Amino acid sequence: MSGAGELLDLSLTGLSAALAAGRVSAREATEAALARIEATDGRVGAFLAVTAERARERAAAADARAARGARLGPLDGVPLAVKDLFLTRGVATTAASRILAGFVPPYDAAVVERLEAAGAVLLGKLNLDEFAMGSSNENSAVKPCHNPWDLARTPGGSSGGSAAALAARQAFGTLGTDTGGSIREPAAFCGVVGLKPTYGRVSRYGVVAFASSLDQPGPLGRTVGDAAALLQVIAGRDARDLTSSTRPVDDYGAALEEGARGLTVGVPRAWLAEGVEAGVARRVKEALALYERLGAKLVDVELPHTKYGIAAYYLIAPAEASSNLARYDGVRFGLREGGAGGLKGMYGATRAAGFGAEPKRRIMLGTYALSAGYYDAYYLRAQKVRTLLRRDFERAFERCDVIAGPVTPAVAFRLGEKVADPLAMYLEDVFTVTCNLAALPGLSVPCGLHPEQQLPVGLQLIGRPFDEATLLRAARALEREQGPLPRPAGLEA
């Protein structure tokens, strides 16, 4: 390696190959990443905690294994970071909320266990919207996160830190969670690859819960191969999460280079009609045309209940959040405020001081939707819409292998632009929430820069349940033809 810049530009798989060949050590890669975080994170704000000593210890152990010829696998010695929604033993977990101030978990999340068992080097915990509620990372109670392509813009949310850290070359791979688009939207805004696996494919054990029937951990990488390598390690049955699937894990690298020939790509034309910014629609259409040139067949599909997706999602998710967040009362976790009125007074004072505006909004909305007299009118009706959405996808997948469309209606917007308009913010999720409601895998892959704004545009690919391998194959076919995006200019200016 000629320098830290060249080292940090390596993909996860590229670094893994360099480590295996002895061209670089885990210590060198880790020190380069820590120096990059030190130099740039004051402007990006991707990290809420940097675990430098833990990282150095893990890197030294990886180098010792390499010296013995006993590397554990592709992730051994690779510096990674995880969203601060995953529990980490001995390291504070905040969910970017004041109400978890001072909470240090006694155990690791299942995905953290699996990464470290594979030899990965954990650099720290990444910024997010409070309790993963948001589409811009502006709901973080700690600090905002900025998009490395343009520091005045959002990296997306809620896994904004996970995407921004990758784009800023601070880590070689990251993990996020996706409840309604929280991996795919920031991946699209920051020009990286983000995969939301099928519900049940990756264990939720040790993940701070937002909406339990929708939450799903997943990988982000600078390339499709990086996302596949991370998924290979974190996927699989975990008896501690009863929703985790017993289905065997595919070899996600086996078909990665098979190209698009023979695939049938479903196109919901309504997703490219009204409401999608012209530059985004142009890049998505160009990607679809490229698939056709690569030998894929395009077919039109109908997803008629998509228009009810946002309404159903913003009833179901807040309803589940109102139940999950009831545990934060000042007794068992983090913050405790005094206050007159005994136990109830303490509950009220703690929650008033601990929760930000967005969690409070969603708790109230969810509690109302679940209340006597309104349950049937709102929550039950939303669940019926969920069934209709799943049937839409089942019919569509009778005709195609993957469904393709935009991730978001527009590119990354300016920080502060939508803070005062929650409905406008919620509409950022219009193309992503249906994938969660139907429990399907979805992926965002860069499909070029916006022709005028020169910001990344993401193509969304949605697959059949547990068919992440086909999603990754289709995404890699596009990535191979289009080549990598340039390095973000915003951070270097």
Side-chain angles (χ1 to χ4, degrees):
M1 295 292 147
S2 63
E6 183 184 350
L7 174 57
L8 292 169
D9 275 335
L10 288 175
S11 65
L12 183 157
T13 52
L15 174 63
S16 179
L19 289 166
R23 296 196 299 274
V24 65
S25 67
R27 180 188 60 79
E28 291 171 315
T30 300
E31 292 298 341
L34 291 171
R36 179 70 175 170
I37 295 166
E38 176 71 23
T40 60
D41 208 50
R43 289 173 285 160
V44 179
F47 278 80
L48 296 184
V50 178
T51 53
E53 290 312 308
R54 178 169 169 162
R56 289 185 174 112
E57 290 172 9
R58 299 282 177 176
D63 284 336
R65 285 191 294 273
R68 297 195 304 271
R71 290 190 76 232
L72 296 174
L75 298 191
D76 200 353
V78 176
L80 307 173
V82 300
K83 187 177 184 177
D84 197 18
L85 206 63
F86 296 105
L87 301 191
T88 41
R89 183 166 53 88
V91 178
T93 296
T94 70
S97 178
R98 286 185 294 272
I99 207 161
L100 279 174
F103 171 60
V104 179
Y107 62 93
D108 286 322
V111 294
V112 173
E113 285 179 351
R114 291 187 180 198
L115 288 180
E116 293 201 324
V121 175
L122 190 65
L123 294 167
K125 311 290 292 290
L126 296 163
N127 207 351
L128 67 155
D129 287 293
E130 185 174 1
F131 284 103
M133 297 179 184
S135 304
S136 67
N137 222 132
E138 292 167 288
N139 293 331
S140 170
V142 183
K143 59 184 177 182
C145 186
H146 302 260
N147 191 321
W149 287 84
D150 179 344
L151 295 173
R153 294 177 185 266
T154 170
S158 65
S159 306
S162 302
L166 277 175
R169 273 52 177 175
Q170 296 173 334
F172 293 87
T174 62
L175 295 188
T177 62
D178 193 316
T179 304
S182 287
I183 288 175
R184 289 160 288 157
E185 190 231 32
F189 281 1
C190 292
V192 299
V193 177
L195 171 60
K196 179 255 168 205
T198 308
Y199 185 81
R201 180 69 296 174
V202 177
S203 172
R204 294 181 297 109
Y205 177 77
V207 179
V208 177
F210 162 20
S212 300
S213 77
L214 300 164
D215 298 340
Q216 185 61 198
L220 296 96
R222 286 204 290 272
T223 69
V224 175
D226 292 358
L230 286 167
L231 181 63
Q232 198 71 58
V233 170
I234 64 173
R237 172 68 176 164
D238 176 13
R240 297 166 297 183
D241 173 6
L242 295 180
T243 65
S244 128
S245 174
T246 58
R247 187 178 176 125
V249 176
D250 291 331
D251 180 349
Y252 297 117
L256 204 57
E257 300 295 342
E258 288 187 3
R261 183 167 298 283
L263 290 179
T264 303
V265 178
V267 183
R269 295 291 174 186
W271 287 16
L272 288 167
E274 188 178 357
V276 179
E277 196 275 331
V280 171
R282 176 178 161 186
R283 290 295 182 239
V284 171
K285 289 175 182 175
E286 289 171 353
L288 295 173
L290 179 56
Y291 273 123
E292 206 161 25
R293 291 199 297 278
L294 292 174
K297 178 183 177 184
L298 301 187
V299 297
D300 289 350
V301 295
E302 299 291 333
L303 299 169
H305 296 96
T306 292
K307 58 188 175 187
Y308 304 119
I310 284 286
Y313 175 84
Y314 279 99
L315 285 166
I316 294 169
E320 295 185 11
S322 73
S323 174
N324 278 323
L325 270 60
R327 73 192 68 181
Y328 304 111
D329 52 14
V331 176
R332 288 165 291 182
F333 305 98
L335 181 72
R336 176 181 295 181
E337 291 287 328
L343 185 63
K344 286 187 177 179
M346 188 268 286
Y347 285 173
T350 299
R351 288 166 173 163
F355 287 130
E358 187 62 28
K360 286 176 181 172
R361 182 183 293 119
R362 297 196 193 197
I363 289 168
M364 287 190 287
L365 178 61
T367 303
Y368 183 80
L370 291 175
S371 61
Y374 296 101
Y375 179 92
D376 288 357
Y378 294 110
Y379 184 74
L380 185 60
R381 188 169 290 185
Q383 291 288 14
K384 290 178 179 177
V385 170
R386 192 174 189 175
T387 300
L388 294 173
L389 286 165
R390 188 168 64 248
R391 289 174 181 166
D392 282 351
F393 280 110
E394 288 170 355
R395 280 192 288 273
F397 282 122
E398 290 173 359
R399 304 187 59 220
C400 64
D401 300 302
V402 297
I403 291 171
V407 180
T408 57
V411 293
F413 51 90
R414 293 187 179 280
L415 290 164
E417 185 177 328
K418 299 187 179 183
V419 169
D421 188 348
L423 290 180
M425 191 75 83
Y426 295 169
L427 286 172
E428 286 296 313
D429 304 333
V430 65
F431 299 123
T432 53
V433 295
T434 53
C435 177
N436 300 75
L437 289 166
L440 299 173
L443 179 150
S444 174
V445 60
C447 62
L449 297 179
H450 188 282
E452 286 84 37
Q453 300 184 57
Q454 293 297 295
L455 292 167
V457 176
L459 178 77
Q460 180 173 217
L461 298 170
I462 299 174
R464 297 187 179 96
F466 298 100
D467 196 12
E468 286 82 1
T470 301
L471 277 189
L472 290 161
R473 171 190 165 190
R476 173 60 185 148
L478 182 72
E479 177 186 69
R480 193 168 58 198
E481 284 300 307
Q482 292 202 323
L485 292 179
R487 196 174 196 184
L491 195 55
E492 313 303 332

Coordinates of all heavy atoms in Angstrom, one line a residue, residues 94-129:
T94 N -26.9 3.9 23.3 CA -27.8 5.1 23.6 C -29.1 5.1 22.7 O -30.0 5.8 23.1 CB -27.1 6.4 23.3 OG1 -26.8 6.6 21.9 CG2 -25.7 6.4 24.1
A95 N -29.1 4.4 21.6 CA -30.2 4.6 20.6 C -30.4 6.1 20.3 O -31.4 6.5 19.8 CB -31.5 4.0 21.1
A96 N -29.3 6.9 20.5 CA -29.3 8.3 20.2 C -30.4 9.0 21.0 O -31.0 10.0 20.5 CB -29.4 8.6 18.7
S97 N -30.7 8.5 22.2 CA -31.7 9.0 23.0 C -31.2 9.4 24.4 O -30.4 8.7 25.0 CB -32.9 8.0 23.2 OG -33.9 8.5 24.1
R98 N -31.7 10.5 24.9 CA -31.3 10.9 26.3 C -31.8 9.9 27.3 O -31.2 9.8 28.4 CB -31.9 12.3 26.6 CG -31.2 13.5 25.9 CD -31.7 14.8 26.4 NE -33.1 15.0 26.0 CZ -33.4 15.5 24.8 NH1 -32.5 15.9 23.9 NH2 -34.7 15.7 24.5
I99 N -32.9 9.2 27.0 CA -33.5 8.3 28.1 C -32.6 7.1 28.3 O -32.8 6.5 29.4 CB -34.9 7.9 27.6 CG1 -35.7 7.6 28.9 CG2 -34.9 6.7 26.7 CD1 -37.2 7.7 28.7
L100 N -31.6 6.8 27.5 CA -30.7 5.7 27.7 C -29.4 6.2 28.2 O -28.4 5.4 28.2 CB -30.6 4.8 26.5 CG -31.7 3.8 26.3 CD1 -31.6 3.1 24.9 CD2 -31.8 2.8 27.4
A101 N -29.3 7.4 28.6 CA -28.0 8.0 29.1 C -27.4 7.1 30.2 O -28.1 6.8 31.2 CB -28.2 9.4 29.6
G102 N -26.2 6.7 30.0 CA -25.5 5.9 31.1 C -25.8 4.4 31.0 O -25.3 3.7 31.9
F103 N -26.6 4.0 30.1 CA -26.9 2.5 30.0 C -25.7 1.8 29.3 O -25.4 2.1 28.2 CB -28.2 2.3 29.2 CG -28.5 0.9 28.9 CD1 -28.6 -0.1 29.9 CD2 -28.6 0.4 27.6 CE1 -28.9 -1.4 29.6 CE2 -28.8 -0.9 27.3 CZ -29.0 -1.8 28.3
V104 N -25.2 0.8 30.0 CA -24.1 0.0 29.5 C -24.6 -1.4 29.5 O -24.8 -2.0 30.6 CB -22.8 0.2 30.3 CG1 -21.7 -0.7 29.8 CG2 -22.3 1.6 30.3
P105 N -24.8 -2.0 28.3 CA -25.4 -3.4 28.3 C -24.4 -4.5 28.9 O -23.2 -4.4 28.7 CB -25.6 -3.6 26.8 CG -25.5 -2.3 26.2 CD -24.6 -1.5 27.0
P106 N -25.0 -5.5 29.5 CA -24.2 -6.6 30.0 C -23.9 -7.7 29.0 O -23.2 -8.7 29.3 CB -25.0 -7.1 31.1 CG -26.4 -6.9 30.7 CD -26.4 -5.6 29.9
Y107 N -24.4 -7.5 27.8 CA -24.2 -8.6 26.7 C -24.2 -7.9 25.3 O -24.6 -6.8 25.2 CB -25.2 -9.7 26.8 CG -26.6 -9.3 26.6 CD1 -27.2 -9.3 25.3 CD2 -27.4 -8.8 27.6 CE1 -28.5 -8.9 25.1 CE2 -28.7 -8.4 27.4 CZ -29.3 -8.5 26.1 OH -30.6 -8.1 25.9
D108 N -23.7 -8.7 24.3 CA -23.7 -8.2 23.0 C -24.9 -8.7 22.2 O -25.4 -9.8 22.4 CB -22.4 -8.8 22.2 CG -21.1 -8.1 22.7 OD1 -21.1 -6.9 22.9 OD2 -20.1 -8.9 22.7
A109 N -25.3 -7.9 21.2 CA -26.3 -8.3 20.3 C -25.8 -9.5 19.5 O -24.6 -9.7 19.3 CB -26.6 -7.2 19.3
A110 N -26.7 -10.3 19.0 CA -26.3 -11.5 18.2 C -25.4 -11.2 17.0 O -24.4 -11.8 16.8 CB -27.5 -12.3 17.7
V111 N -25.7 -10.1 16.3 CA -24.9 -9.7 15.1 C -23.5 -9.3 15.6 O -22.5 -9.5 14.8 CB -25.6 -8.7 14.3 CG1 -26.9 -9.2 13.6 CG2 -25.9 -7.4 15.0
V112 N -23.4 -8.6 16.7 CA -22.1 -8.2 17.2 C -21.3 -9.4 17.6 O -20.1 -9.5 17.3 CB -22.2 -7.2 18.4 CG1 -20.9 -6.9 19.0 CG2 -22.9 -5.9 17.9
E113 N -21.9 -10.4 18.3 CA -21.2 -11.6 18.6 C -20.7 -12.3 17.3 O -19.5 -12.7 17.3 CB -22.2 -12.6 19.2 CG -22.6 -12.3 20.6 CD -23.6 -13.3 21.1 OE1 -24.1 -14.1 20.3 OE2 -23.9 -13.3 22.3
R114 N -21.5 -12.3 16.3 CA -21.1 -13.0 15.0 C -20.0 -12.3 14.3 O -19.1 -12.9 13.8 CB -22.3 -13.2 14.1 CG -23.3 -14.2 14.7 CD -24.5 -14.5 13.8 NE -25.4 -15.5 14.5 CZ -26.3 -16.2 13.9 NH1 -26.4 -16.2 12.6 NH2 -27.1 -17.0 14.6
L115 N -20.0 -11.0 14.3 CA -18.9 -10.2 13.6 C -17.6 -10.5 14.4 O -16.6 -10.7 13.8 CB -19.3 -8.7 13.6 CG -20.4 -8.3 12.7 CD1 -20.6 -6.7 12.8 CD2 -20.0 -8.6 11.2
E116 N -17.7 -10.4 15.7 CA -16.4 -10.5 16.5 C -15.9 -12.0 16.5 O -14.7 -12.2 16.4 CB -16.6 -10.0 17.9 CG -16.8 -8.4 17.9 CD -16.5 -7.8 19.2 OE1 -16.7 -8.4 20.2 OE2 -16.0 -6.6 19.1
A117 N -16.8 -12.9 16.4 CA -16.4 -14.3 16.3 C -15.8 -14.6 14.9 O -14.9 -15.5 14.8 CB -17.6 -15.2 16.5
A118 N -16.1 -13.8 14.0 CA -15.5 -13.9 12.6 C -14.2 -13.1 12.5 O -13.6 -13.0 11.5 CB -16.5 -13.4 11.5
G119 N -13.8 -12.4 13.6 CA -12.5 -11.7 13.7 C -12.6 -10.2 13.3 O -11.6 -9.6 13.3
A120 N -13.8 -9.7 13.1 CA -14.0 -8.3 12.7 C -13.5 -7.4 13.9 O -13.6 -7.8 15.1 CB -15.4 -8.0 12.4
V121 N -13.0 -6.2 13.5 CA -12.5 -5.2 14.5 C -13.6 -4.1 14.6 O -13.8 -3.4 13.7 CB -11.2 -4.6 14.0 CG1 -10.7 -3.5 14.9 CG2 -10.1 -5.7 13.9
L122 N -14.2 -4.0 15.8 CA -15.3 -3.0 16.0 C -14.7 -1.7 16.3 O -14.1 -1.5 17.4 CB -16.2 -3.5 17.1 CG -17.5 -2.7 17.3 CD1 -18.4 -2.9 16.1 CD2 -18.2 -3.2 18.5
L123 N -14.9 -0.7 15.5 CA -14.4 0.7 15.6 C -15.2 1.5 16.6 O -14.7 2.4 17.2 CB -14.3 1.4 14.3 CG -13.3 0.8 13.3 CD1 -13.6 1.4 11.9 CD2 -11.8 1.1 13.7
G124 N -16.5 1.3 16.6 CA -17.4 2.1 17.5 C -18.8 2.0 17.1 O -19.2 1.1 16.3
K125 N -19.6 2.9 17.7 CA -21.1 2.9 17.5 C -21.5 4.2 16.7 O -21.0 5.3 16.9 CB -21.7 3.0 18.9 CG -21.2 2.0 19.9 CD -21.6 0.5 19.6 CE -23.1 0.3 19.7 NZ -23.6 0.2 21.1
L126 N -22.5 4.0 15.8 CA -22.8 5.0 14.8 C -24.1 5.7 15.1 O -25.1 5.1 15.6 CB -22.9 4.3 13.4 CG -21.5 3.7 13.0 CD1 -21.7 2.7 11.8 CD2 -20.6 4.8 12.5
N127 N -24.1 6.9 14.6 CA -25.3 7.8 14.8 C -26.5 7.4 14.1 O -26.5 6.6 13.1 CB -24.9 9.2 14.3 CG -25.6 10.3 15.0 OD1 -26.6 10.1 15.8 ND2 -25.2 11.6 14.7
L128 N -27.7 7.8 14.6 CA -29.0 7.4 14.1 C -30.0 8.4 14.6 O -29.8 9.2 15.5 CB -29.3 6.0 14.6 CG -29.6 5.8 16.1 CD1 -30.5 4.6 16.3 CD2 -28.3 5.6 16.9
D129 N -31.2 8.3 14.0 CA -32.4 9.0 14.5 C -32.8 8.3 15.8 O -32.7 7.1 15.9 CB -33.5 8.9 13.6 CG -33.3 9.9 12.4 OD1 -33.3 11.1 12.6 OD2 -33.2 9.4 11.2

